[in-house]
Amino acid sequence: MENYLAEILARRGVVAPERLDEAMQTVRERGQTLSDVLVATKVAEPPAIARALADEFGLPFTDFIDVAAVSLPLVERIPITYAKQHGLLVVAEDDAAVHCVVADPLDVTAADDVRALFGKPVELTVATPDAVLEAINRVWERKESGGSGLEAEAQAEEDHLVDILDADDEAPIIAWVNSLFSQAVRERASDIHIEPEERDVVVRYRVDGELYVARRASKQFMSAIVARIKIMASLNIAEKRLPQDGRITLKIAGKSIDIRVSTIPTSRQFERIVMRLLHKTSVLKSLDELGFAPRDYALMDGLIQRPDGIILVTGPTGSGKTTTLYGCLNRINEPTRNILTAEDPVEYEIGGIHQVHVKPSIGLTFASALRAFLRQDPDVVMVGEIRDKETAEIAIHASLTGHLVLSTIHTNDAPGAVTRLVDMGIESFLVRSSLIAVLAQRLVRVLCPHCKVPYEPTDYELRQLGLDPNRLQWKTRRKVTHRYVAHGTTYRFPGEDMGTDPVFYRAKGCEACTGKGFVGRLGIYELMMIDDVVGPLILDRADAQTMKRAAQVAGMDSLRDDGARKVLEGRTTVEEVLAATQEDVIVDE
């Protein structure tokens, strides 16, 4: 079966033959499926594999399964364990055939079983394994929650409380808490807030950076909810006066989820709980998945290959700095490199990289960890954050003695990171000689491709983005190769092609995005190279705006410039970019 799949992927040009040979060797050694190996090694994406299979057998492919349209009586005829095992979901039945969505059309046994069960021909549609598994879970959750009455949601403004319990035992509490997690994963929530109010318990989810009320429950059940979560997180259920931190590991919809739990006492008698959901797939992204413009991607790809120097990533909390650093480390993670990290906390363990969780309470700080790293023969060092002069000095010493150092710092933009180091007491000549680049970033929500609506932008919106409505050049730019030289290294990157007719879009909302109009988030970036333009300004102790103006003249895009590019590409909205770059100053060239 795996050999047949390899033949299909090679024939259809999805994977080069030499890469398939390597993957097949891994399949034989580890016993994994070929698809899993190709996806794990970033050789092929799941949609590309699924499309190739669909084309091979003349079947339709879908990237969206309308769960709401699936008939529940049909679902009950196929056991959920069987459906998950074979990656198959029966979505509809008519007089002529049974319609199924499958992850693997090569699994003819499953199709034969469905044909025998229903006594009709089977019509197949191909989707990715993750899409089929998520649809199966969502359909069965809808089936099992229908009519149970356990969920508490507002029915009217004057009657918004619905009890989650109809018995005194704890089983309904366990089911209710578990449903919190499953719903959060289904809706791609990054945080769950459980908050005691005057009359009820409010649960809010943070999805793509925005908080919204997900459900409510009667306040009388708050104690049971808190106790259940504390037990899961191995916390002291008797301690209600002090904050506590814990961790939960769950497997939800076939995915392993780490959950950081934080409790604090409140004035309303009960504790408040916030849980951070750590999805491995959302943090461990490759460098080319982060949304860099061609210039910035080429520069970053070259910078992280350097043997020494400091690269700083800056931005507020929750702007994706850790994801960017992990993407850089994944790009250069090879057996020939010794990579060490100091993090607070270690969000995900990465094979081949040695990670340390700093604990200031016992003296293991960023500075002490970094100092110890220098005795471990490192090639690359990642420090979670430069917070003080001591950490900055050791990072500079590491870079000057032949190590590549990656870290973060909290400033509004890239030039601000330079002035922050100087304000910490670092000599300007040391900053100039060790720092090679600063990357500022923000996150903006990505428009749902299924429901985004085109519209004509106003002149005000264009000017806010830094675009002159009277001088917009809609013609296609010729693709060329540009060169940029910094620190003696030449970087090459392709020119951009914005298309012949850029269109602005706004959010609407549909089933695919659960009515929000957005699906996921995307980075916007400002990459300032410490080159012969910016370097002398650092030595002269120039202010941040002077450095920014000079860097922009030399070709740097500001955060708002990069945001405008992504608006023109139809990936986000004007409002998202303006909200994320409120402090960004547009510098006239």
Side-chain angles (χ1 to χ4, degrees), residues 11 18-19 29 156 164 229 239 250 291 296 316 354 397 439 463 482 589:
R11 185 170 61 251
E18 60 272 13
R19 301 304 299 273
E29 292 174 354
I164 61 170
I229 293 173
E239 179 56 74
L250 296 176
D296 292 347
H354 309 283
H397 173 71
L439 177 72
R463 290 193 177 95
H482 298 290
E589 296 186 5

Side-chain angles (χ1 to χ4, degrees), residues 73-120:
L74 286 178
V75 173
E76 294 174 347
R77 299 183 66 176
I78 304 290
I80 185 172
T81 52
Y82 184 92
K84 287 185 175 182
Q85 179 183 354
H86 292 276
L88 177 145
L89 178 65
V90 179
V91 295
E93 179 186 17
D94 54 35
D95 294 338
V98 178
H99 302 272
C100 302
V101 179
V102 296
D104 182 10
L106 293 172
D107 186 357
V108 294
T109 301
D112 289 342
D113 289 344
V114 173
R115 186 180 299 109
L117 178 64
F118 285 86
K120 295 180 180 179

Side-chain angles (χ1 to χ4, degrees), residues 4-121:
Y4 186 30
L5 175 58
E7 179 186 334
I8 294 172
L9 297 178
R11 185 170 61 251
R12 296 197 169 269
V14 177
V15 183
E18 60 272 13
R19 301 304 299 273
L20 278 171
D21 292 340
E22 297 173 6
M24 287 301 295
Q25 180 64 29
T26 304
V27 169
R28 287 188 288 270
E29 292 174 354
R30 302 181 182 178
Q32 296 175 293
T33 66
L34 177 59
S35 296
D36 288 344
V37 171
L38 294 175
V39 172
T41 56
K42 305 291 186 182
V43 174
E45 296 295 328
I49 298 174
R51 286 182 187 277
L53 287 171
D55 293 342
E56 178 72 15
F57 297 104
L59 300 173
F61 170 82
T62 183
D63 58 359
F64 171 61
I65 303 173
D66 188 358
V67 174
V70 176
S71 172
L72 294 182
L74 286 178
V75 173
E76 294 174 347
R77 299 183 66 176
I78 304 290
I80 185 172
T81 52
Y82 184 92
K84 287 185 175 182
Q85 179 183 354
H86 292 276
L88 177 145
L89 178 65
V90 179
V91 295
E93 179 186 17
D94 54 35
D95 294 338
V98 178
H99 302 272
C100 302
V101 179
V102 296
D104 182 10
L106 293 172
D107 186 357
V108 294
T109 301
D112 289 342
D113 289 344
V114 173
R115 186 180 299 109
L117 178 64
F118 285 86
K120 295 180 180 179

Side-chain angles (χ1 to χ4, degrees), residues 147-364:
S148 67
L150 292 181
E151 290 211 357
E153 300 209 335
Q155 300 299 318
E157 289 185 4
E158 67 278 3
D159 184 23
H160 63 280
L161 294 182
V162 178
D163 287 353
I164 61 170
L165 300 181
D166 51 12
D168 293 332
D169 58 43
E170 66 174 2
I173 283 289
I174 295 175
W176 190 84
V177 171
N178 289 343
S179 72
L180 280 186
F181 294 128
S182 61
Q183 181 184 352
V185 171
R186 186 173 65 249
E187 299 190 14
R188 301 174 296 101
S190 61
D191 300 86
I192 303 174
H193 293 230
I194 303 178
E195 305 161 341
E197 296 293 342
E198 184 176 350
R199 297 178 55 228
D200 59 356
V201 178
V202 176
V203 177
R204 296 194 293 172
Y205 290 159
R206 187 180 295 278
V207 180
D208 297 333
E210 300 289 326
L211 276 172
Y212 77 97
V213 176
R215 59 174 73 179
R216 297 175 184 268
S218 174
K219 191 174 182 178
Q220 63 178 308
F221 305 117
M222 185 65 183
S223 294
I225 293 169
V226 172
R228 173 59 185 164
I229 293 173
K230 281 187 170 184
I231 290 171
M232 296 177 72
S234 300
L235 299 179
N236 184 356
I237 62 174
E239 179 56 74
K240 301 179 181 180
R241 301 165 300 170
L242 297 174
Q244 296 187 68
D245 294 310
R247 199 167 189 133
I248 302 172
T249 300
L250 296 176
K251 192 168 186 178
I252 304 173
K255 301 176 182 177
S256 180
I257 308 292
D258 282 337
I259 303 169
R260 292 210 307 261
V261 180
S262 172
T263 71
I264 60 171
T266 70
S267 60
R268 290 192 171 97
Q269 181 184 355
F270 298 104
E271 294 166 280
R272 183 180 190 271
I273 298 177
V274 173
M275 294 179 282
R276 168 66 57 89
L277 279 66
L278 301 173
H279 301 256
K280 191 170 185 177
T281 54
S282 67
V283 175
L284 299 182
K285 295 182 180 293
S286 60
L287 198 63
D288 57 359
E289 294 177 315
L290 298 180
F292 284 110
R295 169 192 180 269
D296 292 347
Y297 176 79
L299 293 177
M300 283 297 295
D301 194 41
L303 287 167
I304 60 178
Q305 303 291 344
R306 286 175 54 91
D308 53 28
I310 299 177
I311 302 173
L312 292 180
V313 181
T314 184
T317 300
S319 60
K321 299 188 296 297
T322 299
T323 300
T324 298
L325 289 176
Y326 278 0
C328 292
L329 293 180
N330 270 332
R331 181 75 175 86
I332 59 177
N333 184 13
E334 299 173 353
T336 56
R337 287 190 174 97
N338 181 20
I339 302 176
L340 304 175
T341 76
E343 306 172 54
D344 183 19
V346 174
E347 295 197 0
Y348 288 106
E349 295 184 1
I350 307 174
I353 296 177
H354 309 283
Q355 299 162 271
V356 173
H357 182 177
V358 300
K359 298 179 180 177
S361 60
I362 62 172
L364 182 56

